Amino acid sequence: MQNQDLYDVTIIGGGPAGLYAAFYAGMREMKVKLIEGKDELGGFLQTYSDKAIWDVGGLPPMKCAKLIEHLVQQAGTFEPTVVLKQTIDTFNHLNDGVFELQTHTGESHYTRTVIIAIGRGVAEVQRLDIHSAKDYERSNLHYTIQNLDYFAGKKVLISGGGNSAVDWALELAERACSVTVVHRQDSFRAMEHNVSQMRRKAEVYTPCHIERFYGNGQRIHQVGIVSTATGETVRLDVDEVIVSHGYTSHVSNLARCGLDMHEGMLVMNQWAETSVPGIFTAGDCAMREGKVRLIAGAFNDAIVAVNSAKKFLEPAAAGMAYVSSHNELFREKNRALHNKPTSSS
C-alpha cells in the first residue's frame, strides 16, 4: 500500500451527513475519501428531488435537488476523493491500525478512520404486492415523484400514510384535477397540521387498501379499494397511481462487521463513536438518546464525528475547527469571493 492510497478518514455515504462530513473534515485538514453506493451523490434526498425542504437553518425553502446541488458543491471545497457505485462489504482492521474497506466490486480502500453516514442504507422501495402491479410500473404506477407538474390536471390516487404520502397529496392538490388518498389505518404517521390540510384538500379513504387494478395491461384506468373494516369495495377512476409505502434498507449488514446495532441502526455515543475504535457514525443510520432526525441534526452528527476522528488520530488536536470566518483555510477563498464581480441589474 502506497502512502497516497491511505486516507485520514473515509466517509461511507454521500447523503447530507456524508457530504457535510467531507466538507468539515477538509476544514480539519484531513485527507478525505467519500464512497457512495449509488451513481450519484445526495443520498435519500434524491428520492424526493422535487419536494421542497423548509427546515434547514438559514436557507429559504428549496427543492431537494437544489439542496443536493449546494451540498455537493460545498463538499468539494477541499477536493476530497469521491468514489461512486461501490458499497462496502467488510471492514478489516490491519496490524498497523489501518482499516481495509472491501467493496462489492472486489476493490479495497485504506483509511485510518471511518465515518459511516449511509442514512437509511441502500434503500429499496416497498412495492405493491398485487396481481399485475409490475405491468404498470412503466406507465402510470409510481413509487416516487420526480416532477410534480407531470400530474397537472390529472386524477391522482395516493396509497400511503406517512409524511411523504401526505406531503405529496398537499403538493398535488394545487396541480391535479383531483387527489384521493388511501390508507389502511385511520390515523396517519405525519405532522398533524399537514394531515388536517390534506383531509380538507383531498378525498380520503380509511381504513382501506388497494385490492386490484383495472386496466388494459398498459395503463391503469380504475383502482379497486376495499375497506379493511367492512369489506366493502369501491372502484375509482384514475389517471395516475402513487404508492408511498416506505422503504426497506440494508443498514443491518454492518452488524456482521462487529458493530453494535439496535433496531437496525448503529449504536453511537455522544461523541459519534461506535463500538469499534476508529469507526464513527453520523445521520439517520445511527441512534443515541436525544438524537435529532432532521437534516440539521445530520450536520451536527457529521461535525461531532469528524472532530472525534481528528482527536482519534491526533489526541493533542483542538476539539473543533475554527469557525470559517477565522479559519486560515478560507483566506484565499474569501478574497476570491470579495473580488468576484457582481451582476448589474
Side-chain angles (χ1 to χ4, degrees), residues 128-141:
L128 201 60
D129 186 20
I130 65 172
H131 177 68
S132 77
K134 194 171 183 61
D135 296 340
Y136 297 107
E137 289 182 9
R138 294 185 179 181
S139 56
N140 60 338
L141 174 59

Side-chain angles (χ1 to χ4, degrees), residues 12-233:
I12 305 172
L19 290 169
Y20 195 76
F23 166 73
Y24 193 77
M27 288 182 66
R28 304 251 32 198
E29 298 189 271
M30 301 172 79
K31 183 179 179 182
V32 181
K33 177 179 280 186
L34 187 150
I35 301 175
E36 163 59 40
K38 296 184 178 180
D39 60 359
E40 58 185 352
L41 297 170
F44 203 69
L45 291 182
Q46 290 286 3
T47 308
Y48 305 115
S49 60
D50 208 41
K51 281 183 62 176
I53 294 180
W54 288 72
D55 57 359
V56 179
L59 293 180
M62 66 178 65
K63 291 185 177 180
C64 285
K66 178 58 70 172
L67 181 59
I68 292 169
E69 181 183 328
H70 290 320
L71 286 169
V72 171
Q73 182 179 2
Q74 183 183 48
T77 301
F78 298 102
E79 301 181 349
T81 297
V82 176
V83 178
L84 299 177
K85 296 191 290 188
Q86 289 191 26
T87 56
I88 304 301
D89 277 347
T90 59
F91 298 77
N92 295 318
H93 205 177
L94 306 181
N95 291 333
D96 57 0
V98 170
F99 290 97
E100 178 189 19
L101 311 182
Q102 295 182 331
T103 74
H104 77 290
T105 62
E107 296 184 49
S108 293
H109 302 272
Y110 299 93
T111 185
R112 301 169 67 198
T113 63
V114 179
I115 296 176
I116 301 172
I118 58 176
R120 305 185 189 192
V122 181
E124 294 181 0
V125 69
Q126 292 191 26
R127 283 177 157 72
L128 201 60
D129 186 20
I130 65 172
H131 177 68
S132 77
K134 194 171 183 61
D135 296 340
Y136 297 107
E137 289 182 9
R138 294 185 179 181
S139 56
N140 60 338
L141 174 59
H142 313 270
Y143 289 99
T144 187
I145 295 178
Q146 299 297 332
N147 180 8
L148 290 167
D149 290 334
Y150 171 82
F151 299 89
K154 298 181 179 181
K155 293 179 289 225
V156 181
L157 182 142
I158 300 173
S159 176
N163 279 302
S164 295
V166 173
D167 289 348
W168 282 340
L170 292 175
E171 294 270 11
L172 292 176
E174 308 300 324
R175 296 171 170 83
C177 170
S178 65
V179 175
T180 301
V181 179
V182 177
H183 182 36
R184 67 173 58 241
Q185 297 180 7
D186 281 321
S187 60
F188 286 80
R189 305 179 311 279
M191 294 180 62
E192 294 176 355
H193 175 72
N194 289 348
V195 173
S196 297
Q197 282 194 310
M198 176 197 67
R199 290 187 181 278
R200 290 197 299 269
K201 296 182 178 182
E203 189 172 9
V204 178
Y205 287 82
T206 62
C208 294
H209 64 272
I210 295 176
E211 182 182 49
R212 183 177 174 184
F213 289 142
Y214 298 89
N216 59 6
Q218 295 182 341
R219 291 188 64 82
I220 303 164
H221 299 305
Q222 288 186 322
V223 173
I225 66 171
V226 59
S227 167
T228 57
T230 67
E232 180 184 359
T233 60

Side-chain angles (χ1 to χ4, degrees), residues 11-18 21 44 91 114-123 249-255 259-269 272-274 279-288 291-294 297-299 301-302 305:
I11 300 160
I12 305 172
F44 203 69
F91 298 77
V114 179
I115 296 176
I116 301 172
I118 58 176
R120 305 185 189 192
V122 181
S249 68
H250 305 293
V251 176
S252 58
N253 290 347
L254 296 171
L259 296 162
D260 285 351
M261 311 283 293
H262 180 70
E263 296 182 350
M265 291 180 285
L266 284 164
V267 176
M268 67 187 291
N269 64 14
E273 296 168 327
T274 68
I279 299 182
F280 307 89
T281 186
D284 282 347
C285 64
M287 67 165 297
R288 65 170 174 81
K291 170 120 177 124
V292 177
R293 298 199 175 279
L294 293 172
F299 294 159
D301 284 353

